[in-house]
Amino acid sequence: MALKAVHVSDLPNLDQVPDNVASNFCATRFCNGVNGDSDEVKGSFKFPKFVVMGHRGTGMNMLQSPDKRMKSIKENTILAFNAATSFPLDFIEFDVQVTKDECPVIFHDNFILTQETGLIVQKRVTDLSLEEFLSFGPQKEPGKVGKPMFRKLKDGRIFEWKVEKDAPLCTLEEAFEKVDHSIGFNIELKFDDQIDYEEEQLSHILQVILQVVFKHAKDRPIFFSSFQPDAALLIRKLQSTYPVFFLTNGGAQNYTDVRRGSLDEAIKVCMVGGLQGIVSEVKAIFKNPGVLARIKECKLSLVTYGELNNVPEVVFLQRLMGVEGVIVDLVEEITEAITDLISNVNVEEESLFGEDGKMILKTKLEISKDELSFLFTKLIPELIQSN
């Protein structure tokens, strides 16, 4: 297994490298559904295998990046979703909001930016009608020109939304109808951090989304996720068909809502509300790997997201650690690289955790100790520091 040479530093809590490890790492199409043989998800939930998910299809658009791969296909579009299905992915992840005339649409940002009379203006997605929402960007009707789109970054910079392959915006219903039915949907319920939602308002929005899901999902594998704790808890109460995961950045930002402040708080949210799992920013896991033992003790599933998941060795190491799935941007590169990485892997046992939270891996794997040591103590710390 060829690994990259980088300058490194020590990584706290990842100081034990076992002699023999193995991985049952697979990235083939997820075909068995997420509910098993039952129509309801009750209590704990576990994916039947390690799963790989395409972030907003074939990856999010980073308009400021010099990397052309991050500006290849318009994110969160039918084009991106169908392009992702040509690779050995299990799920695609996308963001759902509801327009003011109650249509669930797929879009990540809270605001759409456009240009009017030479000035950049922004409009909240949930304040738009469906017709207004679909009027931005490329249009389906021949000869029709949509409104130009721009994107505002967290640092305030604004970029015109230019990608190599542009495509029209879409609704949740279209995704169900036009995307390969065998690929699963990770539906992120998107809400604005700056808005205090009343329970009645949240309930209405979620029920509008659920109406579309129940009408069109059929036997497609689906699970819900949300950074909004009340939304995650409420959709678990409103339905028992699909698993619900709580999204967290693991404490990378400060929030007035303490439930969003750490992985420990995320575990509490899941246990209180009967949620089935956590979707965490990957750096939070590597900075505090002992939390995996607590997550497993609570019988919760764990999926990660973040730019580090675009490094094959990082994904490989997470599988060894017991993470159940990853959300990635560089879909083609990651699936190809991971297939190559596991070509020499033979599994006999799964990874385990000791009582102190340190990893004890009892498996057989055709990979040298030096290569494994490089993963644990050198490559990961360098990547965490550089991101």
Side-chain angles (χ1 to χ4, degrees):
M1 180 172 69
L3 300 177
K4 303 173 183 177
V6 293
H7 297 290
V8 301
S9 62
D10 293 330
L11 179 63
N13 301 321
L14 276 179
D15 54 1
Q16 180 179 354
V17 180
D19 291 326
N20 296 296
V21 294
S23 166
N24 182 23
F25 194 117
C26 47
T28 55
R29 185 59 51 80
F30 188 93
C31 298
N32 297 324
V34 290
N35 298 340
D37 297 326
S38 173
D39 291 332
E40 293 189 350
V41 175
K42 297 179 179 179
S44 62
F45 162 81
K46 187 175 180 63
F47 290 101
K49 70 179 188 65
F50 188 88
V51 293
V52 181
M53 311 181 192
H55 190 204
R56 307 180 199 174
T58 52
M60 62 183 259
N61 295 152
M62 295 182 65
L63 304 177
Q64 75 280 19
S65 174
D67 190 338
K68 293 182 178 179
R69 295 174 299 178
M70 308 305 291
K71 297 175 283 189
S72 175
I73 303 176
K74 174 69 84 50
E75 67 177 43
N76 276 334
T77 61
I78 300 300
L79 179 64
F81 300 156
N82 282 328
T85 65
S86 63
F87 303 105
L89 288 174
D90 307 297
F91 286 82
I92 51 175
E93 180 272 352
F94 54 76
D95 311 271
V96 173
Q97 305 183 56
V98 175
T99 61
K100 71 176 183 180
D101 51 353
E102 302 193 341
C103 180
V105 296
I106 299 177
F107 197 76
H108 174 271
D109 301 356
N110 295 317
F111 294 89
I112 288 184
L113 275 67
T114 190
Q115 192 172 49
E116 295 179 358
T117 63
L119 299 175
I120 300 295
V121 297
Q122 65 178 22
K123 301 184 179 184
R124 186 179 290 277
V125 172
T126 54
D127 288 341
L128 300 172
S129 67
L130 175 61
E131 182 179 5
E132 290 172 317
F133 173 76
L134 297 177
S135 70
F136 293 90
Q139 300 295 292
K140 298 174 184 177
E141 297 82 357
K144 188 175 181 179
V145 178
K147 300 174 184 176
M149 293 179 62
F150 295 78
R151 174 170 251 171
K152 187 176 184 179
L153 307 185
K154 291 182 179 179
D155 61 12
R157 289 182 294 165
I158 296 176
F159 291 84
E160 187 173 0
W161 207 320
K162 286 186 176 182
V163 293
E164 183 179 341
K165 297 179 181 179
D166 212 341
L169 301 178
C170 66
T171 66
L172 178 60
E173 181 177 343
E174 284 181 286
F176 277 113
E177 292 177 344
K178 299 179 180 180
V179 177
D180 185 335
H181 198 76
S182 68
I183 198 162
F185 284 175
N186 170 5
I187 301 175
E188 180 182 340
L189 307 167
K190 191 75 178 179
F191 295 92
D192 191 335
D193 291 341
Q194 306 306 313
I195 295 177
D196 291 326
Y197 296 90
E198 298 292 334
E199 181 175 346
E200 183 178 352
Q201 182 183 13
L202 279 178
S203 179
H204 182 74
I205 293 170
L206 295 176
Q207 289 186 64
V208 169
I209 294 171
L210 284 172
Q211 286 177 1
V212 174
V213 172
F214 285 130
K215 182 177 180 180
H216 299 280
K218 298 180 181 177
D219 60 349
R220 185 191 296 274
I222 291 171
F223 72 96
F224 294 106
S225 62
S226 184
F227 282 104
Q228 221 288 355
D230 292 323
L233 294 169
L234 189 52
I235 200 163
R236 180 70 178 104
K237 291 180 180 179
L238 291 173
Q239 60 84 44
S240 58
T241 303
Y242 304 109
V244 180
F245 284 45
F246 182 48
L247 265 160
T248 178
N249 61 26
Q253 293 176 248
N254 294 322
Y255 298 95
T256 55
D257 190 334
V258 296
R259 296 174 296 177
R260 300 187 62 181
S262 68
L263 277 167
D264 287 330
E265 289 295 331
I267 293 173
K268 292 179 184 178
V269 170
C270 292
M271 299 308 292
V272 168
L275 308 188
Q276 285 80 19
I278 294 171
V279 181
S280 172
E281 217 288 337
V282 61
K283 286 187 285 186
I285 300 299
F286 284 119
K287 289 178 179 178
N288 183 20
V291 75
L292 279 112
R294 297 195 293 278
I295 291 173
K296 288 180 177 294
E297 288 171 2
C298 295
K299 298 182 179 180
L300 298 172
S301 293
L302 176 64
V303 173
T304 68
Y305 73 94
E307 292 183 44
L308 282 182
N309 279 353
N310 292 322
V311 180
E313 293 86 355
V314 173
V315 175
F316 181 79
L317 181 54
Q318 288 179 77
R319 179 60 185 88
L320 295 179
M321 294 170 67
V323 174
E324 292 185 37
V326 290
I327 300 171
V328 307
D329 289 300
L330 302 181
V331 171
E332 180 176 6
E333 292 82 354
I334 291 298
T335 52
E336 180 180 349
I338 292 302
T339 300
D340 180 63
L341 279 172
I342 65 172
S343 60
N344 293 322
V345 174
N346 293 312
V347 179
E348 291 195 3
E349 296 181 59
E350 288 294 331
S351 59
L352 303 174
F353 280 86
E355 293 181 358
D356 59 358
K358 290 185 177 180
M359 283 180 291
I360 303 172
L361 300 169
K362 299 179 179 179
T363 53
K364 291 185 177 180
L365 170 63
E366 296 176 16
I367 175 176
S368 72
K369 181 179 179 180
D370 288 342
E371 288 175 328
L372 185 64
S373 177
F374 183 82
L375 287 175
F376 272 80
T377 64
K378 299 183 183 297
L379 178 62
I380 302 303
E382 177 74 11
L383 291 170
I384 289 176
Q385 290 184 355
S386 64
N387 281 269

